Amino acid sequence: MTPKRALTWLAAALIVKVTLSVLIGYRDYFPPNFESYFLRGRESYFHRGYHVPFYAHLFSGPATLMLGLALTNRPFRARFPEWHRRLGKFQIGLLLVVLVPSGLWMAPYSFGGVAAALGFSTLAILTGACAAFGWRSAVRGQFAEHRRWMWRCYLLLCSAVVIRMVGGLVTVTEIGIAWSYPVVAWMSWLVPLAIYETIQIARQSLDHRSTHGEAGTSIAALSLPATEMSARR
């Protein structure tokens, strides 16, 4: 197994593990336990409309993460193209109709004040935009562009995994959530997205150099005098 493949499997296992741990924690939400970590302090407004986007987000979040694992898997895409299209349509619909709107609704109620609310609002808007652009490029048959947009979308979705991991670290180290939560609200998606874009720029630069290098060699060969080309042969 190559290092890249091993890293891919490790990341997938981590996403599944964190998602399962989140699902196990749902026992505090049916019925809502206002002594639990996430619902603490929300009792006054929970049943005044907040519970609708909350439960919508609760169900759509893990579903989009698990669907994303299949949709970004190259062997699955190659072997089951029709299922890839069907699940992809469902994924984008779930994102645009349920996950993104519920995330925007919940953002102003985030722990960490205005900074955290802006971070999660921006995350929701960018996730929806990437999904929409990914859908548009697929419809136009621009599949390389489609894959890039959907990878961006999935990295943004995985911010939920990063937040849970950092939250566990904060709890163990007792750093305190007062300043860490607003930071995580931004860095949980900015850092992975920045790494992805840096890799994309580096790849495009290498492809550009390779293409122009080959073209330059061909042009130089064509410009050689016939006698010199014969001598080289």
Side-chain angles (χ1 to χ4, degrees), residues 2-5 7-8 72 74 77 144-145 147-149 151-152 155 194-212:
T2 63
K4 181 180 178 181
R5 189 172 178 81
L7 187 61
T8 301
T72 55
R74 185 178 297 177
R77 187 169 64 242
E145 190 70 12
R147 285 191 291 272
R148 284 192 287 270
W149 279 116
W151 263 113
R152 292 182 182 109
L155 286 173
I195 293 172
Y196 176 79
E197 296 300 340
T198 302
I199 293 172
Q200 290 301 306
I201 292 170
R203 284 179 176 173
Q204 290 175 7
S205 178
L206 287 172
D207 291 342
H208 180 77
R209 290 178 184 177
S210 176
T211 302
H212 280 256

Side-chain angles (χ1 to χ4, degrees), residues 152-169:
R152 292 182 182 109
C153 182
Y154 193 60
L155 286 173
L156 292 171
L157 289 173
C158 286
S159 62
V161 177
V162 178
I163 289 171
R164 296 320 189 277
M165 292 173 60
V166 174
L169 182 64

